[in-house]
mmCIF file of all heavy atoms in Angstrom:
data_model
loop_
_atom_site.group_PDB
_atom_site.id
_atom_site.type_symbol
_atom_site.label_atom_id
_atom_site.label_comp_id
_atom_site.label_asym_id
_atom_site.label_seq_id
_atom_site.Cartn_x
_atom_site.Cartn_y
_atom_site.Cartn_z
ATOM 1 N N TYR E 42 -14.527 14.090 -9.557
ATOM 2 C CA TYR E 42 -13.321 13.478 -8.986
ATOM 3 C C TYR E 42 -12.047 14.183 -9.437
ATOM 4 O O TYR E 42 -11.958 14.650 -10.567
ATOM 5 C CB TYR E 42 -13.220 12.012 -9.408
ATOM 6 C CG TYR E 42 -14.174 11.100 -8.677
ATOM 7 C CD1 TYR E 42 -15.264 10.540 -9.332
ATOM 8 C CD2 TYR E 42 -13.979 10.798 -7.331
ATOM 9 C CE1 TYR E 42 -16.145 9.697 -8.661
ATOM 10 C CE2 TYR E 42 -14.849 9.957 -6.664
ATOM 11 C CZ TYR E 42 -15.925 9.413 -7.325
ATOM 12 O OH TYR E 42 -16.783 8.585 -6.662
ATOM 13 N N LYS E 55 -8.624 8.458 -7.236
ATOM 14 C CA LYS E 55 -9.316 9.738 -7.357
ATOM 15 C C LYS E 55 -10.110 10.006 -6.081
ATOM 16 O O LYS E 55 -10.590 9.076 -5.427
ATOM 17 C CB LYS E 55 -10.278 9.726 -8.554
ATOM 18 C CG LYS E 55 -9.582 9.618 -9.895
ATOM 19 C CD LYS E 55 -10.507 9.920 -11.066
ATOM 20 C CE LYS E 55 -11.519 8.849 -11.338
ATOM 21 N NZ LYS E 55 -12.239 9.045 -12.603
ATOM 22 N N VAL E 56 -10.275 11.282 -5.758
ATOM 23 C CA VAL E 56 -11.099 11.673 -4.614
ATOM 24 C C VAL E 56 -12.057 12.775 -5.066
ATOM 25 O O VAL E 56 -11.811 13.446 -6.066
ATOM 26 C CB VAL E 56 -10.257 12.189 -3.427
ATOM 27 C CG1 VAL E 56 -9.278 11.136 -2.934
ATOM 28 C CG2 VAL E 56 -9.485 13.449 -3.824
ATOM 29 N N THR E 57 -13.144 12.936 -4.319
ATOM 30 C CA THR E 57 -14.044 14.065 -4.569
ATOM 31 C C THR E 57 -13.758 15.111 -3.508
ATOM 32 O O THR E 57 -14.161 14.941 -2.349
ATOM 33 C CB THR E 57 -15.519 13.622 -4.477
ATOM 34 O OG1 THR E 57 -15.665 12.424 -5.215
ATOM 35 C CG2 THR E 57 -16.439 14.687 -5.052
ATOM 36 N N THR E 60 -15.789 16.195 0.169
ATOM 37 C CA THR E 60 -16.791 15.265 0.693
ATOM 38 C C THR E 60 -16.319 14.562 1.964
ATOM 39 O O THR E 60 -17.080 13.842 2.590
ATOM 40 C CB THR E 60 -17.160 14.178 -0.348
ATOM 41 O OG1 THR E 60 -15.967 13.465 -0.693
ATOM 42 C CG2 THR E 60 -17.749 14.793 -1.597
ATOM 43 N N GLY E 61 -15.084 14.752 2.349
ATOM 44 C CA GLY E 61 -14.567 14.067 3.538
ATOM 45 C C GLY E 61 -14.238 15.039 4.645
ATOM 46 O O GLY E 61 -15.010 15.945 4.953
ATOM 47 N N GLU E 146 -13.545 0.769 -8.541
ATOM 48 C CA GLU E 146 -14.422 0.686 -7.366
ATOM 49 C C GLU E 146 -14.666 2.087 -6.801
ATOM 50 O O GLU E 146 -13.734 2.809 -6.484
ATOM 51 C CB GLU E 146 -13.752 -0.183 -6.287
ATOM 52 C CG GLU E 146 -14.572 -0.380 -5.030
ATOM 53 C CD GLU E 146 -15.675 -1.434 -5.177
ATOM 54 O OE1 GLU E 146 -15.534 -2.322 -6.015
ATOM 55 O OE2 GLU E 146 -16.667 -1.331 -4.444
ATOM 56 N N GLU E 147 -15.936 2.448 -6.694
ATOM 57 C CA GLU E 147 -16.289 3.727 -6.067
ATOM 58 C C GLU E 147 -16.647 3.448 -4.613
ATOM 59 O O GLU E 147 -17.419 2.535 -4.324
ATOM 60 C CB GLU E 147 -17.484 4.358 -6.775
ATOM 61 C CG GLU E 147 -17.163 4.861 -8.167
ATOM 62 C CD GLU E 147 -18.243 5.785 -8.710
ATOM 63 O OE1 GLU E 147 -19.430 5.447 -8.565
ATOM 64 O OE2 GLU E 147 -17.890 6.835 -9.278
ATOM 65 N N VAL E 148 -16.074 4.216 -3.709
ATOM 66 C CA VAL E 148 -16.304 3.991 -2.279
ATOM 67 C C VAL E 148 -16.707 5.313 -1.626
ATOM 68 O O VAL E 148 -16.154 6.360 -1.956
ATOM 69 C CB VAL E 148 -15.023 3.483 -1.571
ATOM 70 C CG1 VAL E 148 -15.315 3.084 -0.131
ATOM 71 C CG2 VAL E 148 -14.396 2.323 -2.320
ATOM 72 N N ALA E 149 -17.681 5.253 -0.718
ATOM 73 C CA ALA E 149 -17.954 6.397 0.154
ATOM 74 C C ALA E 149 -17.531 5.940 1.545
ATOM 75 O O ALA E 149 -18.120 5.013 2.110
ATOM 76 C CB ALA E 149 -19.427 6.759 0.131
ATOM 77 N N CYS E 150 -16.489 6.555 2.096
ATOM 78 C CA CYS E 150 -15.961 6.098 3.383
ATOM 79 C C CYS E 150 -17.041 6.198 4.453
ATOM 80 O O CYS E 150 -17.659 7.247 4.618
ATOM 81 C CB CYS E 150 -14.746 6.947 3.780
ATOM 82 S SG CYS E 150 -14.131 6.548 5.428
ATOM 83 N N GLU E 151 -17.247 5.106 5.177
ATOM 84 C CA GLU E 151 -18.322 5.146 6.166
ATOM 85 C C GLU E 151 -17.897 5.882 7.436
ATOM 86 O O GLU E 151 -18.736 6.199 8.275
ATOM 87 C CB GLU E 151 -18.813 3.734 6.501
ATOM 88 C CG GLU E 151 -17.757 2.819 7.068
ATOM 89 C CD GLU E 151 -18.298 1.404 7.290
ATOM 90 O OE1 GLU E 151 -19.393 1.098 6.789
ATOM 91 O OE2 GLU E 151 -17.601 0.631 7.945
ATOM 92 N N LYS E 152 -16.608 6.195 7.556
ATOM 93 C CA LYS E 152 -16.168 6.937 8.740
ATOM 94 C C LYS E 152 -16.196 8.453 8.491
ATOM 95 O O LYS E 152 -16.755 9.202 9.284
ATOM 96 C CB LYS E 152 -14.755 6.491 9.121
ATOM 97 C CG LYS E 152 -14.258 7.098 10.420
ATOM 98 C CD LYS E 152 -12.886 6.545 10.777
ATOM 99 C CE LYS E 152 -12.310 7.228 11.995
ATOM 100 N NZ LYS E 152 -10.900 6.883 12.187
ATOM 101 N N CYS E 153 -15.603 8.901 7.365
ATOM 102 C CA CYS E 153 -15.496 10.361 7.148
ATOM 103 C C CYS E 153 -16.317 10.841 5.954
ATOM 104 O O CYS E 153 -16.324 12.024 5.662
ATOM 105 C CB CYS E 153 -14.030 10.755 6.976
ATOM 106 S SG CYS E 153 -13.359 10.372 5.348
ATOM 107 N N THR E 154 -16.990 9.921 5.233
ATOM 108 C CA THR E 154 -17.873 10.193 4.072
ATOM 109 C C THR E 154 -17.138 10.589 2.783
ATOM 110 O O THR E 154 -17.791 10.906 1.795
ATOM 111 C CB THR E 154 -18.948 11.288 4.360
ATOM 112 O OG1 THR E 154 -18.311 12.576 4.422
ATOM 113 C CG2 THR E 154 -19.710 11.021 5.644
ATOM 114 N N LEU E 155 -15.823 10.589 2.778
ATOM 115 C CA LEU E 155 -15.111 10.930 1.527
ATOM 116 C C LEU E 155 -15.513 9.955 0.421
ATOM 117 O O LEU E 155 -15.570 8.750 0.629
ATOM 118 C CB LEU E 155 -13.587 10.850 1.724
ATOM 119 C CG LEU E 155 -12.784 11.153 0.451
ATOM 120 C CD1 LEU E 155 -12.756 12.650 0.170
ATOM 121 C CD2 LEU E 155 -11.366 10.613 0.535
ATOM 122 N N ARG E 156 -15.775 10.510 -0.765
ATOM 123 C CA ARG E 156 -16.025 9.668 -1.935
ATOM 124 C C ARG E 156 -14.716 9.540 -2.712
ATOM 125 O O ARG E 156 -14.071 10.532 -3.029
ATOM 126 C CB ARG E 156 -17.106 10.288 -2.816
ATOM 127 C CG ARG E 156 -18.516 10.139 -2.228
ATOM 128 C CD ARG E 156 -19.537 10.920 -3.039
ATOM 129 N NE ARG E 156 -19.419 10.645 -4.452
ATOM 130 C CZ ARG E 156 -19.497 11.586 -5.406
ATOM 131 N NH1 ARG E 156 -19.676 12.833 -5.079
ATOM 132 N NH2 ARG E 156 -19.379 11.255 -6.674
ATOM 133 N N TYR E 157 -14.318 8.306 -2.985
ATOM 134 C CA TYR E 157 -13.082 8.095 -3.728
ATOM 135 C C TYR E 157 -13.199 6.860 -4.600
ATOM 136 O O TYR E 157 -14.099 6.037 -4.409
ATOM 137 C CB TYR E 157 -11.876 7.984 -2.775
ATOM 138 C CG TYR E 157 -11.903 6.854 -1.782
ATOM 139 C CD1 TYR E 157 -11.215 5.657 -2.019
ATOM 140 C CD2 TYR E 157 -12.597 6.963 -0.582
ATOM 141 C CE1 TYR E 157 -11.228 4.615 -1.100
ATOM 142 C CE2 TYR E 157 -12.611 5.929 0.340
ATOM 143 C CZ TYR E 157 -11.920 4.759 0.081
ATOM 144 O OH TYR E 157 -11.944 3.731 0.999
ATOM 145 N N THR E 158 -12.327 6.749 -5.589
ATOM 146 C CA THR E 158 -12.332 5.574 -6.464
ATOM 147 C C THR E 158 -10.918 5.020 -6.579
ATOM 148 O O THR E 158 -9.937 5.772 -6.541
ATOM 149 C CB THR E 158 -12.852 5.891 -7.890
ATOM 150 O OG1 THR E 158 -11.914 6.734 -8.540
ATOM 151 C CG2 THR E 158 -14.188 6.575 -7.861
ATOM 152 N N VAL E 159 -10.847 3.711 -6.710
ATOM 153 C CA VAL E 159 -9.541 3.036 -6.750
ATOM 154 C C VAL E 159 -9.560 1.903 -7.777
ATOM 155 O O VAL E 159 -10.625 1.452 -8.196
ATOM 156 C CB VAL E 159 -9.187 2.411 -5.375
ATOM 157 C CG1 VAL E 159 -8.852 3.472 -4.362
ATOM 158 C CG2 VAL E 159 -10.317 1.516 -4.863
ATOM 159 N N THR E 162 -10.421 -3.292 -5.236
ATOM 160 C CA THR E 162 -11.553 -3.130 -4.335
ATOM 161 C C THR E 162 -11.143 -2.577 -2.990
ATOM 162 O O THR E 162 -11.730 -1.618 -2.492
ATOM 163 C CB THR E 162 -12.237 -4.507 -4.118
ATOM 164 O OG1 THR E 162 -12.731 -4.963 -5.373
ATOM 165 C CG2 THR E 162 -13.383 -4.397 -3.139
ATOM 166 N N ALA E 164 -9.074 -0.736 -0.014
ATOM 167 C CA ALA E 164 -8.287 0.500 0.013
ATOM 168 C C ALA E 164 -8.353 1.159 1.387
ATOM 169 O O ALA E 164 -9.283 0.933 2.162
ATOM 170 C CB ALA E 164 -8.833 1.480 -1.028
ATOM 171 N N TYR E 165 -7.333 1.991 1.647
ATOM 172 C CA TYR E 165 -7.391 2.907 2.792
ATOM 173 C C TYR E 165 -8.103 4.170 2.324
ATOM 174 O O TYR E 165 -7.905 4.605 1.181
ATOM 175 C CB TYR E 165 -5.987 3.296 3.255
ATOM 176 C CG TYR E 165 -5.147 2.162 3.772
ATOM 177 C CD1 TYR E 165 -4.235 1.524 2.944
ATOM 178 C CD2 TYR E 165 -5.264 1.736 5.093
ATOM 179 C CE1 TYR E 165 -3.450 0.472 3.416
ATOM 180 C CE2 TYR E 165 -4.471 0.691 5.574
ATOM 181 C CZ TYR E 165 -3.571 0.063 4.719
ATOM 182 O OH TYR E 165 -2.805 -0.959 5.189
ATOM 183 N N CYS E 166 -8.909 4.791 3.187
ATOM 184 C CA CYS E 166 -9.542 6.056 2.832
ATOM 185 C C CYS E 166 -8.455 7.128 2.723
ATOM 186 O O CYS E 166 -7.663 7.306 3.657
ATOM 187 C CB CYS E 166 -10.569 6.449 3.888
ATOM 188 S SG CYS E 166 -11.162 8.131 3.667
ATOM 189 N N PRO E 167 -8.405 7.860 1.591
ATOM 190 C CA PRO E 167 -7.358 8.886 1.433
ATOM 191 C C PRO E 167 -7.436 10.006 2.467
ATOM 192 O O PRO E 167 -6.438 10.659 2.756
ATOM 193 C CB PRO E 167 -7.614 9.434 0.024
ATOM 194 C CG PRO E 167 -8.291 8.315 -0.691
ATOM 195 C CD PRO E 167 -9.171 7.668 0.349
ATOM 196 N N ASP E 168 -8.619 10.248 3.055
ATOM 197 C CA ASP E 168 -8.728 11.330 4.042
ATOM 198 C C ASP E 168 -8.452 10.848 5.466
ATOM 199 O O ASP E 168 -7.568 11.348 6.140
ATOM 200 C CB ASP E 168 -10.134 11.958 3.988
ATOM 201 C CG ASP E 168 -10.133 13.248 3.171
ATOM 202 O OD1 ASP E 168 -9.158 13.478 2.438
ATOM 203 O OD2 ASP E 168 -11.110 14.012 3.255
ATOM 204 N N CYS E 169 -9.237 9.865 5.932
ATOM 205 C CA CYS E 169 -9.114 9.485 7.343
ATOM 206 C C CYS E 169 -8.238 8.250 7.538
ATOM 207 O O CYS E 169 -7.896 7.912 8.669
ATOM 208 C CB CYS E 169 -10.498 9.253 7.963
ATOM 209 S SG CYS E 169 -11.319 7.768 7.369
ATOM 210 N N GLN E 171 -8.961 5.121 7.173
ATOM 211 C CA GLN E 171 -9.614 3.861 7.577
ATOM 212 C C GLN E 171 -9.648 2.881 6.405
ATOM 213 O O GLN E 171 -10.007 3.252 5.290
ATOM 214 C CB GLN E 171 -11.048 4.143 8.043
ATOM 215 C CG GLN E 171 -11.860 2.862 8.239
ATOM 216 C CD GLN E 171 -12.946 3.013 9.268
ATOM 217 O OE1 GLN E 171 -12.693 3.330 10.427
ATOM 218 N NE2 GLN E 171 -14.181 2.811 8.847
ATOM 219 N N HIS E 172 -9.311 1.620 6.689
ATOM 220 C CA HIS E 172 -9.361 0.617 5.621
ATOM 221 C C HIS E 172 -10.809 0.217 5.375
ATOM 222 O O HIS E 172 -11.606 0.141 6.296
ATOM 223 C CB HIS E 172 -8.524 -0.620 5.999
ATOM 224 C CG HIS E 172 -8.144 -1.440 4.803
ATOM 225 N ND1 HIS E 172 -8.952 -2.421 4.303
ATOM 226 C CD2 HIS E 172 -7.068 -1.392 3.984
ATOM 227 C CE1 HIS E 172 -8.381 -2.950 3.238
ATOM 228 N NE2 HIS E 172 -7.229 -2.348 3.022
ATOM 229 N N ASN E 173 -11.150 -0.028 4.103
ATOM 230 C CA ASN E 173 -12.561 -0.267 3.756
ATOM 231 C C ASN E 173 -12.933 -1.737 3.699
ATOM 232 O O ASN E 173 -13.992 -2.080 3.203
ATOM 233 C CB ASN E 173 -12.873 0.390 2.402
ATOM 234 C CG ASN E 173 -12.198 -0.335 1.237
ATOM 235 O OD1 ASN E 173 -11.387 -1.226 1.450
ATOM 236 N ND2 ASN E 173 -12.524 0.046 0.031
ATOM 237 N N SER E 174 -12.059 -2.641 4.168
ATOM 238 C CA SER E 174 -12.308 -4.070 3.932
ATOM 239 C C SER E 174 -13.626 -4.549 4.537
ATOM 240 O O SER E 174 -14.375 -5.281 3.899
ATOM 241 C CB SER E 174 -11.141 -4.916 4.449
ATOM 242 O OG SER E 174 -10.894 -4.642 5.792
ATOM 243 N N LEU E 175 -13.959 -4.107 5.755
ATOM 244 C CA LEU E 175 -15.232 -4.539 6.350
ATOM 245 C C LEU E 175 -16.414 -3.960 5.575
ATOM 246 O O LEU E 175 -17.432 -4.630 5.384
ATOM 247 C CB LEU E 175 -15.313 -4.070 7.806
ATOM 248 C CG LEU E 175 -14.942 -5.098 8.876
ATOM 249 C CD1 LEU E 175 -15.103 -4.493 10.256
ATOM 250 C CD2 LEU E 175 -15.772 -6.374 8.763
ATOM 251 N N GLN E 176 -16.251 -2.722 5.127
ATOM 252 C CA GLN E 176 -17.308 -2.072 4.348
ATOM 253 C C GLN E 176 -17.572 -2.853 3.053
ATOM 254 O O GLN E 176 -18.717 -3.083 2.662
ATOM 255 C CB GLN E 176 -16.847 -0.648 4.025
ATOM 256 C CG GLN E 176 -17.947 0.278 3.576
ATOM 257 C CD GLN E 176 -17.407 1.691 3.341
ATOM 258 O OE1 GLN E 176 -16.372 2.068 3.891
ATOM 259 N NE2 GLN E 176 -18.099 2.463 2.534
ATOM 260 N N ILE E 177 -16.468 -3.273 2.390
ATOM 261 C CA ILE E 177 -16.603 -4.034 1.144
ATOM 262 C C ILE E 177 -17.204 -5.413 1.432
ATOM 263 O O ILE E 177 -18.047 -5.910 0.685
ATOM 264 C CB ILE E 177 -15.225 -4.197 0.458
ATOM 265 C CG1 ILE E 177 -14.686 -2.813 0.045
ATOM 266 C CG2 ILE E 177 -15.294 -5.127 -0.730
ATOM 267 C CD1 ILE E 177 -15.439 -2.125 -1.072
ATOM 268 N N GLU E 179 -19.286 -6.201 3.800
ATOM 269 C CA GLU E 179 -20.729 -6.039 4.036
ATOM 270 C C GLU E 179 -21.484 -5.755 2.739
ATOM 271 O O GLU E 179 -22.587 -6.257 2.530
ATOM 272 C CB GLU E 179 -20.963 -4.925 5.054
ATOM 273 C CG GLU E 179 -20.649 -5.421 6.458
ATOM 274 C CD GLU E 179 -20.766 -4.356 7.517
ATOM 275 O OE1 GLU E 179 -21.235 -3.254 7.207
ATOM 276 O OE2 GLU E 179 -20.371 -4.631 8.657
ATOM 277 N N LYS E 180 -20.870 -4.973 1.884
ATOM 278 C CA LYS E 180 -21.517 -4.666 0.602
ATOM 279 C C LYS E 180 -21.714 -5.958 -0.210
ATOM 280 O O LYS E 180 -22.780 -6.187 -0.784
ATOM 281 C CB LYS E 180 -20.613 -3.686 -0.164
ATOM 282 C CG LYS E 180 -21.107 -3.249 -1.513
ATOM 283 C CD LYS E 180 -20.124 -2.233 -2.092
ATOM 284 C CE LYS E 180 -20.183 -2.207 -3.600
ATOM 285 N NZ LYS E 180 -19.153 -1.330 -4.188
#
Side-chain angles (χ1 to χ4, degrees):
Y42 285 109
K55 294 193 288 190
V56 300
T57 313
T60 59
E146 182 79 26
E147 290 194 315
V148 187
C150 175
E151 60 184 12
K152 186 176 175 191
C153 77
T154 72
L155 178 77
R156 285 173 49 222
Y157 61 98
T158 68
V159 289
T162 298
Y165 297 97
C166 170
D168 261 15
C169 71
Q171 170 152 301
H172 200 273
N173 70 352
S174 55
L175 262 181
Q176 196 177 337
I177 296 291
E179 284 176 8
K180 180 177 155 186

